[in-house]
Amino acid sequence: MLLPAKSEVARQLRHYRAWERSMLASPTDVTVRTTFEDSGYTLCVLMGKRCAREAADAAERYLRTNLVTHAQEQPERLAPSGFKAPSGAA
């Protein structure tokens, strides 16, 4: 399984949290909201999640763990047909 660099995850998580605070302070500012949503999308892509909140949680867990622990915490991925993917495949 390929994992993103922890430095990049940390950078994107800081970016997301900063825009989250800005958005909460100015919820009617369209530019702030758009940038916040864009940062959430980036974090989703980076962490392989569909929801920004889940992606932020996953990023925090990833940054607290080592590589082996993180891999053990991930659910088994199924191939598109519903069968278990071969070892080493996503």
Side-chain angles (χ1 to χ4, degrees):
M1 169 187 347
L2 292 177
L3 297 173
K6 284 194 173 190
S7 60
E8 183 62 20
V9 172
R11 188 175 77 80
Q12 291 298 331
L13 182 60
R14 281 192 309 272
H15 186 76
Y16 173 79
R17 292 296 186 204
W19 282 107
E20 180 180 43
R21 288 188 297 275
S22 295
M23 199 274 306
L24 291 172
S26 304
T28 58
D29 187 325
V30 175
T31 302
V32 170
R33 180 173 289 276
T34 300
T35 307
F36 169 65
E37 290 173 355
D38 288 348
S39 68
Y41 176 79
T42 301
L43 201 56
C44 285
V45 171
L46 192 63
M47 298 309 299
K49 300 293 182 183
R50 292 184 180 204
C51 167
R53 187 172 303 268
E54 288 177 8
D57 290 344
E60 289 170 350
R61 280 192 311 275
Y62 177 55
L63 293 172
R64 284 193 308 261
T65 62
N66 63 34
L67 184 61
V68 174
T69 305
H70 179 75
Q72 291 171 344
E73 289 178 351
Q74 298 306 305
E76 285 191 41
R77 295 182 185 249
L78 297 179
S81 63
F83 296 102
K84 185 177 175 186
S87 180

